Amino acid sequence: MGGASMSAFQREILVRFGHCDAAGWVFYPRYFEMISDFVEDWFEDGLAASAPGLFHHKQILTPSVHFTVDFPKPTRYGDRLTFNLWTTKVGRTSCDLRIEASHQGELRMTARQVLVFISADVGRATEIPPELVSRMARFGADPETAAKKIPAPR
């Protein structure tokens, strides 16, 4: 494990029956639901700013505007996935996340996700609150390392 791994936000997610197709493998759209829950946990526990709290108190929403996803190996019903999240870029109104899910050290899913902070009042991009920018920095990954880890398209 390199230095960048130390700063990841991490959670274990059990693959449940409802995540799987008839063959007992994770049905790929379910990964997006897992990612969504995992990112909500990151806001709550990693950034100390719950997504519902941001919405109710600051009228800020954080929709996803971009995903790039790879599924190097399939995942079975009952597997325990370790999800890791790093911030690879934090801009004025958006942030780039790198998310990896692995089972016993074997990569099962990698994703790049871009979140935009939007003012619910006007429906336009808004600045990321400064306290969140500094908390996001704790989960920073070296972009060079992160870029190298993304498997090249075949």
Side-chain angles (χ1 to χ4, degrees):
M1 293 260 189
S5 306
M6 298 305 289
S7 59
F9 177 74
Q10 191 174 83
R11 277 284 179 283
E12 195 177 76
I13 295 175
L14 174 64
V15 173
R16 298 182 184 278
F17 185 72
H19 292 138
C20 299
D21 61 20
W25 301 103
V26 172
F27 180 44
Y28 77 90
R30 300 290 170 255
Y31 273 112
F32 289 96
E33 294 172 359
M34 290 181 212
I35 289 168
S36 180
D37 292 347
F38 177 58
V39 170
E40 258 189 66
D41 288 349
W42 175 59
F43 269 91
E44 180 86 42
D45 302 330
L47 301 180
S50 74
L54 277 176
F55 175 62
H56 295 303
H57 303 300
K58 299 194 180 205
Q59 283 68 57
I60 291 175
L61 297 167
T62 57
S64 299
V65 295
H66 178 82
F67 271 104
T68 310
V69 189
D70 287 296
F71 306 102
K73 289 239 163 75
T75 300
R76 283 193 172 283
Y77 175 39
D79 284 352
R80 289 186 178 274
L81 290 171
T82 302
F83 272 70
N84 282 293
L85 176 155
W86 297 268
T87 53
T88 53
K89 187 176 163 222
V90 179
R92 200 175 64 83
T93 62
S94 69
C95 63
D96 284 38
L97 306 178
R98 174 163 180 78
I99 296 169
E100 293 181 355
S102 56
H103 174 65
Q104 296 177 346
E106 183 181 69
L107 214 49
R108 298 296 177 84
M109 186 270 318
T110 63
R112 174 178 170 246
Q113 179 178 13
V114 180
L115 299 177
V116 174
F117 283 66
I118 287 182
S119 160
D121 298 335
V122 294
R124 288 214 183 94
T126 188
E127 289 197 16
I128 301 173
E131 67 276 13
L132 291 195
V133 173
S134 60
R135 289 175 204 155
M136 283 178 183
R138 300 202 320 248
F139 302 99
D142 169 22
E144 289 299 305
T145 316
K148 283 187 190 111
K149 288 177 81 175
I150 298 169
R154 286 181 188 80

